[in-house]
Amino acid sequence: MKPIDLRSDTVTLPSEAMRAAMARAEVGDDVYGEDPTVNRLEALVAEQLGKEAALYVATGTQSNLIGLMSHCERGDEYIVGQQAHTYKYEGGGAAVLGSIQPQPLENEPDGSLDLERVAAAIKPNDPHFARTRLLALENTIGGKVLPLDYLAQAEALARSRGLAMHLDGARLFNAVVKLGVPASRIARHFDTVSVCLSKGLGAPVGSVLVGPAALMERARRWRKVLGGGMRQAGLMAAAGIHALEHNVQRLADDHANARALAEALQGIPGLRVDPAAVQTNMVFMHLAPEQAEALRHWLAERGMRINAGAVVRLVTHLDVDAAGVAAFADAVRAFFEHAPQGAGRAAALA
Ligand SMILES: *Cc1c(COP(=O)(O)O)cnc(C)c1O
């Protein structure tokens, strides 16, 4: 049986068609700007997101860092969610490498930042304070889509207070497919947007940062400084183009599979899931912390992979189909039937 790996949508393997596109990619030295495939990918993403320019980079972490460093200088500050990838899961890169101070704020349950709290966190122009320069949002965040009217309100606040806007759109296309709008409809509220090709889109490597031409010139410089200037990178960019041409609309399948997974898990004694909370490709399964490792082990013996924790994030992607999520839910049900103490914990979790 094919392994069912729900740890992340980063685990997908390139298809034969994607590998073929990589093999025949025309390439050149991208540091000289001479890789036609990288140039084509950058033009494609800039156009889709309605921005002047784009930069192909190694990872989403690098893309966000370059974005922050292009907006902010030493002693500047960016406002960001406490749960945002940029703040929490990127090794503190903005502070470590950019001398940029984060001002984290607690995320609301829908993933947004309360705009009154954002406004209150903007520092006055006074030498006591870092200079607040940028508001950074994430979409999707924890599988949730930020509403378009919220983005408009956030933009209005940022503009009125002289802040720039950056979007960590690692999973922007999940939001695009969920809302049924063009990518530019979301991107237009931001100066810069970072998009991952290696998540649900299924490319092995790569992210793209888009924004105004002048800012992207600074970004190109920071990419080189950070050691991210790649040479015949068109081999990988070709996978990104293939992903954008073939794997965007099919994200709807991942969303349907996530919903079906949540519905199949709902009601299993010993765990709690909320199918109504599933918006895109993520399901959050709550269980007794002491059972998480046993469940992980049980599933691993059956060729299924999760990360253990009191809250288990399950992510659907193009290498898991409807039959796969059904088999996964069956295996989870069997675990709780074989673990009597699991049923006993159900009341505590309810
Ligand atoms: C994965 C991810 C990133 C970083 O991407 P890497 O390519 O793993 O560095 C950034 N933001 C979000 C929201 C992500 O999910």
Side-chain angles (χ1 to χ4, degrees), residues 189-245:
H189 297 291
F190 298 87
D191 301 285
T192 49
V193 181
S194 168
V195 179
C196 283
L197 302 165
S198 57
K199 298 273 166 86
L201 296 181
V205 176
S207 289
V208 180
L209 180 69
V210 300
L215 205 88
M216 297 310 293
E217 274 316 304
R218 291 160 62 96
R220 195 167 286 276
R221 184 179 175 77
W222 282 126
R223 183 182 69 171
K224 193 77 183 81
V225 172
L226 293 168
M230 298 184 286
R231 302 297 176 170
Q232 286 73 30
L235 286 176
M236 284 150 356
I241 293 171
H242 181 90
L244 286 167
E245 288 175 347

Side-chain angles (χ1 to χ4, degrees), residues 59-61 64 85 90 138 168 170-171 196 199:
T59 64
T61 299
N64 281 325
H85 200 282
E90 295 178 10
E138 182 174 317
D168 178 353
R171 296 188 178 86
C196 283
K199 298 273 166 86

